[in-house]
Amino acid sequence: MIRPDAELLLDINDLHASVEDKPILKGVNLQVRAGEIHAVMGRNGSGKSTLSKVLAGHPAYRVTGGTVRYRNQDLFDLEPEERARLGVFLGFQYPVEIPGVSNLEFLRVSTNARREKQGEEELDTFAFEDHVHDKLKVVQMDPAFLERSVNEGFSGGEKKRNEILQMALLEPVVAILDETDSGLDIDALRIVAGGVNQLATENNATLLITHYQRLLDEITPDYVHVMAAGQILRTGGRELALELEQTGYDWVDRELAAQGAA
Amino acid sequence: MTSTSTRDLVSQPYKYGFVTEIETDKIAKGLSEDVVRLISAKKEEPAFLLDFRLKAFRHWLTLDEPDWAALGYSAIDYQDIVYYAAPKQQEKKASLDEVDPKLLETFDKLGIPLSEQKRLSNVAVDAVFDSVSIATTYKEKLAEHGVVFCSFSEAVKEHPELIERYLGSVVASNDNYFAALNSAVFSDGSFVFIPKGVECPMELSTYFRINSGDTGQFERTLIVAEEGASVSYLEGCTAPMFDTNQLHAAVVELVALDDASIKYSTVQNWYAGDENGVGGIYNFVTKRGQCRGDRSRISWTQVETGSAITWKYPSCLLQGADSVGEFYSVALTNNCQQADTGTKMIHVGPRTRSTIVSKGISAGRSSNSYRGLVQMGPNAKGARNYSQCDSMLIGDQAAANTYPYIRSQQPQAAIEHEASTCRISEDQLFYLQSRGIGFEEAVSMMVSGFCRDVFNQLPMEFAAEADKLLALKLEGSVG
């Protein structure tokens, strides 16, 4: 839902970032307001995933230029955990396994860290169990997953559902979902997309990083951005995704070549 | 990485590092036959004990300090150590009211209140300060059940026949270099006797405190569980911060007769030295349990977090048929700490079983080695062992080693060994952080997850404690 007067949640200006001294982001500009759903598309290596990691504060990525303001404060002043507590959420493409750490306990500590920041009371073990059981429904997840170690031995689809469960618990202001659709069969994709749709409100925003159009059949974006060579090359509405579906990314190469020549 | 770094994380001050100002009765530095005789005389010991000491001392003189462990430390000058130091007070007090308030205060500060009003409700405590036991709580209540729980010196006076029968029966005075040294000069420790058929009604615990800077601590613990008896015992240890090293060479002997069960837990938090490896305790300990009777069981659980040097292999001699030995260990080293620890499971009797679960965590520039022996004797038909040794590395300067030794003379014995090494990865930490969990909490969550199998074995009162201790020790170690 596009409302020009809605709060500007994320304001990315000329963002440059590199990994191991290799520049990946080369001047990204993007504004995200409350209520909006953005899709960032592009080929592998275009910088989409790097953008999501930089926003969440992954230590392997170094910001080399530009600014990002989150709700009017400098995002890069904040540690990753601080960003999360303030409502920035990254749904991982490859959620890591953490052996020995109980999923339930992890979810509880995480939820309480966010609640504390919002001035809400901490949930004890019992209260949290009730709370989490409500949220399980969002992703149709079996409570048995709560008893296991974080993501350990989960299938690809189970890991992604666990990500959306975390999103449901943390109630983020800006949710960045990095290739959440990758590796999912169509049923799992529908469940995950259904979860994202249920969680989208007029007060939050979603940034979908995706390679394929098929996720966008389930979640309707307000904006579609095409990334290439570390920049947003073109921005449009939903129709841009459909156009990409038909024409592929070849035009991107032509456009980049033209830019290079210019 | 953001402003926190793994290496800065470990520099949490040691909160038990204070020294109690108290007048002590100390003998002069140095070790000789006269010193051994002097210790024995100060303790008014019976002749058999003096003989035991002298025999041990004469044997010790013929031994060389062992050098096979993966440990490096400067030579110990055995003549530069005080072998007996005791806070000045007459006799052991009949009641706690007569104990020097400074001592009670010391134990209060350590979280071990001894006074009637404050003491732990279901744990009996023997408090050992430098070379002597200063108080034992709940003695009367335990006596009603026939349980003897007192300092070693008291046991020598009141139950000499038990001491004479069992002392040195599991760890002989000539067993090894440090055991021989201990046998010659040990000063105090705890004695536990659980008579036939009695289940000890409460947890027993000894708390060891080194206070003097130049004193060695040589305590001796002996636990005997008669037929069908059972007991759970816990020891805790702390010491002040000195920039010199103190020697701690203890001997613990456990005897379990038919159907008896002994659970022995240790939370060791001796001063570990500073971040450059200056100071700290040298911990050379011989711990061994003998499952003498059929169907008896001995279980060692240890959480080793302190000491500059740890050399320690709590072992089980599984003699009785169907007896069971267990070893659960968490050893954490940080900064310049070195640990060479593990166990020996000696299967003698038929169908004996043993389980080894070892979790080593190395951070900073420390080195952490697991060294374990599983031996199946010719009569250990149907015996089984399962070993699992996991190491976790934190940072990129720490070392972990595993030295499993397996010897079997019995074709019908089964031995299983699993080992793994992992590192806390940046991606795992980032994952937890991106869910609002702070860096240090993320590390301690992962570490306690890693140790969970062992913590589950600790008495409940101490499991949470151990968890906190580990978190504290690791603060500043990751980044």
Side-chain angles (χ1 to χ4, degrees):
Chain A
M1 182 204 319
I2 303 173
R3 287 175 297 137
D5 60 334
E7 185 191 355
L8 181 59
L9 298 177
L10 201 59
D11 188 4
I12 305 174
N13 267 300
D14 196 27
L15 179 62
H16 287 70
S18 48
V19 182
E20 291 169 354
D21 291 328
K22 185 175 176 236
I24 308 283
L25 299 185
K26 300 167 185 168
V28 175
N29 293 291
L30 182 63
Q31 275 80 40
V32 178
R33 290 180 186 275
E36 298 174 349
I37 297 178
H38 291 244
V40 177
M41 304 185 71
R43 281 186 170 151
N44 289 335
S46 60
K48 330 186 276 300
S49 279
T50 298
L51 176 63
S52 69
K53 297 265 175 49
V54 168
L55 293 176
H58 193 290
Y61 297 80
R62 200 160 53 87
V63 175
T64 52
T67 59
V68 176
R69 297 194 75 77
Y70 169 69
R71 304 192 97 175
N72 236 351
Q73 53 184 319
D74 186 345
L75 187 69
F76 300 138
D77 274 351
L78 305 167
E79 300 282 328
E81 60 267 31
E82 214 29 47
R83 299 180 198 187
R85 290 172 196 155
L86 289 168
V88 176
F89 177 86
L90 172 61
F92 286 77
Q93 181 177 5
Y94 303 111
V96 291
E97 302 192 358
I98 307 183
V101 175
S102 127
N103 201 27
L104 183 67
E105 184 59 12
F106 157 66
L107 294 171
R108 192 175 76 84
V109 172
S110 165
T111 304
N112 280 330
R114 170 93 172 108
R115 287 176 70 90
E116 192 194 342
K117 200 77 195 178
Q118 289 174 295
E120 293 171 323
E121 59 172 330
E122 191 178 314
L123 297 173
D124 64 25
T125 320
F126 300 108
F128 183 72
E129 285 214 28
D130 293 341
H131 185 67
V132 76
H133 276 93
D134 283 345
K135 304 288 182 184
L136 282 172
K137 293 174 195 144
V138 175
V139 282
Q140 302 172 31
M141 209 162 129
D142 186 336
F145 285 101
L146 299 174
E147 305 304 323
R148 296 169 53 179
S149 293
V150 179
N151 294 325
E152 195 180 34
F154 287 26
S155 72
E158 288 157 359
K159 283 181 182 167
K160 295 298 171 73
R161 281 201 242 179
N162 204 28
E163 293 293 290
I164 305 303
L165 173 64
Q166 291 167 43
M167 180 174 158
L169 287 165
L170 296 175
E171 299 175 357
V173 178
V174 172
I176 305 154
L177 303 177
D178 187 7
E179 309 256 3
T180 294
D181 51 333
S182 70
L184 296 186
D185 61 36
I186 190 69
D187 293 331
L189 180 74
R190 289 215 168 109
I191 291 168
V192 165
V196 175
N197 283 327
Q198 285 176 61
L199 298 170
T201 70
E202 62 179 23
N203 298 318
N204 61 29
T206 310
L207 201 58
L208 302 168
I209 311 272
T210 182
H211 194 77
Y212 300 106
Q213 148 71 23
R214 64 175 195 157
L215 180 66
L216 307 182
D217 290 338
E218 307 294 331
I219 306 171
T220 310
D222 298 301
Y223 294 100
V224 173
H225 310 278
V226 179
M227 261 191 103
Q231 287 184 321
I232 289 180
L233 200 62
R234 207 199 283 183
T235 293
R238 167 141 209 261
E239 66 290 347
L240 181 55
L242 296 170
E243 187 189 324
L244 274 174
E245 174 89 338
Q246 280 157 14
T247 61
Y249 285 102
D250 288 348
W251 62 271
V252 169
D253 295 333
R254 286 194 294 278
E255 205 153 310
L256 282 175
Q259 268 186 10
Chain B
M1 188 88 249
T2 41
S3 59
T4 2
S5 105
T6 331
R7 248 155 273 129
D8 308 333
L9 243 164
V10 200
S11 34
Q12 178 72 14
Y14 180 72
K15 65 174 178 175
Y16 306 109
F18 62 90
V19 182
T20 306
E21 293 295 333
I22 194 156
E23 244 191 295
T24 50
D25 170 17
K26 250 191 213 180
I27 63 174
K29 281 181 180 176
L31 182 55
S32 64
E33 199 162 308
D34 286 344
V35 168
V36 174
R37 285 177 191 280
L38 181 61
I39 292 170
S40 190
K42 275 192 175 283
K43 304 183 82 69
E44 300 163 0
E45 288 175 349
F48 81 85
L49 206 48
L50 177 61
D51 289 346
F52 178 84
R53 289 178 183 278
L54 290 174
K55 196 175 136 221
F57 179 69
R58 287 167 194 151
H59 184 73
W60 180 75
L61 290 174
T62 69
L63 298 174
D64 289 323
E65 200 174 315
D67 59 0
W68 43 262
L71 301 170
Y73 55 94
S74 49
I76 300 168
D77 180 354
Y78 292 91
Q79 297 305 329
D80 195 37
I81 293 171
V82 173
Y83 288 85
Y84 183 87
K88 259 191 193 154
Q89 59 174 6
Q90 297 89 23
E91 300 295 294
K92 171 117 174 184
K93 302 298 171 189
S95 117
L96 276 170
D97 306 338
E98 299 168 46
V99 174
D100 189 324
K102 262 190 196 163
L103 289 173
L104 294 181
E105 200 182 296
T106 300
F107 281 91
D108 258 358
K109 261 166 102 174
L110 296 169
I112 316 287
L114 298 171
S115 63
E116 204 80 37
Q117 306 79 23
K118 287 187 281 180
R119 66 197 191 185
L120 305 166
S121 63
N122 54 347
V123 182
V125 178
D126 183 23
V128 177
F129 188 90
D130 282 341
S131 301
V132 298
S133 162
I134 57 157
T136 311
T137 61
Y138 291 113
K139 272 175 75 172
E140 301 76 16
K141 188 178 167 197
L142 290 167
E144 287 168 23
H145 296 264
V147 171
V148 180
F149 177 41
C150 62
S151 72
F152 203 91
S153 315
E154 247 175 301
V156 168
K157 292 204 166 66
E158 287 163 29
H159 308 278
E161 71 297 343
L162 289 175
I163 299 294
E164 189 165 9
R165 186 180 332 156
Y166 289 107
L167 178 71
S169 72
V170 183
V171 178
S173 63
N174 59 1
D175 187 84
N176 68 66
Y177 188 82
F178 294 105
L181 177 63
N182 172 285
S183 299
V185 302
F186 72 88
S187 38
D188 213 336
S190 297
F191 174 69
V192 176
F193 177 78
I194 317 286
K196 198 168 172 173
V198 172
E199 186 181 328
C200 186
M202 58 198 339
E203 297 274 343
L204 304 183
S205 167
T206 299
Y207 195 90
F208 295 101
R209 173 72 177 171
I210 292 179
N211 192 59
S212 311
D214 50 2
T215 306
Q217 183 150 341
F218 306 94
E219 83 269 0
R220 189 101 197 174
T221 301
L222 174 58
I223 300 179
V224 178
E226 285 196 330
E227 292 84 352
S230 70
V231 63
S232 170
Y233 175 92
L234 183 123
E235 63 169 357
C237 337
T238 59
M241 294 157 67
F242 293 113
D243 54 11
T244 52
N245 301 104
Q246 290 85 50
L247 179 62
H248 173 253
V251 171
V252 175
E253 296 178 277
L254 312 181
V255 179
L257 303 184
D258 288 354
D259 300 293
S261 142
I262 301 174
K263 183 177 171 65
Y264 192 106
S265 313
T266 305
V267 176
Q268 187 261 109
N269 187 18
W270 297 119
Y271 178 54
D274 69 8
E275 66 275 16
N276 297 314
V278 176
I281 301 287
Y282 286 173
N283 194 30
F284 293 92
V285 173
T286 305
K287 288 183 165 172
R288 194 173 306 152
Q290 187 176 21
C291 284
R292 211 171 276 189
D294 295 348
R295 297 168 304 278
S296 55
R297 170 188 288 262
I298 288 179
S299 178
W300 298 101
T301 304
Q302 60 171 18
V303 178
E304 300 284 312
T305 67
S307 299
I309 302 284
T310 299
W311 180 97
K312 184 180 166 189
Y313 316 90
S315 304
C316 296
L317 185 55
L318 302 166
Q319 229 163 23
D322 300 288
S323 59
V324 176
E326 294 172 317
F327 175 73
Y328 296 97
S329 168
V330 165
L332 177 140
T333 53
N334 199 352
N335 296 321
C336 300
Q337 280 178 275
Q338 301 175 64
D340 192 303
T341 183
T343 185
K344 287 190 275 186
M345 291 291 173
I346 314 290
H347 292 252
V348 178
R351 299 175 305 280
T352 45
R353 281 170 289 147
S354 65
T355 303
I356 298 171
V357 177
S358 161
K359 306 277 182 178
I361 303 155
S362 348
R365 285 171 285 155
S366 71
S367 148
N368 199 324
S369 302
Y370 168 82
R371 188 183 302 276
L373 168 68
V374 175
Q375 184 169 325
M376 300 293 182
N379 297 322
K381 207 169 167 179
R384 280 185 289 143
N385 161 266
Y386 171 74
S387 304
Q388 185 190 335
C389 303
D390 299 325
S391 310
M392 180 183 257
L393 293 166
I394 298 177
D396 53 11
Q397 295 181 69
N401 303 297
T402 301
Y403 304 99
Y405 303 84
I406 295 171
R407 286 185 206 132
S408 182
Q409 296 165 275
Q410 169 49 255
Q412 292 185 49
I415 301 169
E416 266 182 84
H417 182 94
E418 286 182 27
S420 76
T421 302
C422 66
R423 186 183 289 280
I424 292 186
S425 77
E426 193 176 59
D427 282 327
Q428 286 171 320
L429 286 170
F430 176 62
Y431 188 77
L432 295 175
Q433 279 181 285
S434 76
R435 296 303 180 250
I437 299 167
F439 188 79
E440 298 191 1
E441 193 176 1
V443 172
S444 86
M445 253 178 131
M446 292 188 56
V447 168
S448 66
F450 177 73
C451 300
R452 199 163 52 173
D453 294 348
V454 174
F455 287 170
N456 286 345
Q457 300 295 328
L458 284 174
M460 215 169 51
E461 293 87 338
F462 300 99
E465 199 79 354
D467 215 2
K468 268 190 268 166
L469 180 60
L470 242 53
L472 195 71
K473 283 273 166 178
L474 276 174
E475 245 167 68
S477 70
V478 189

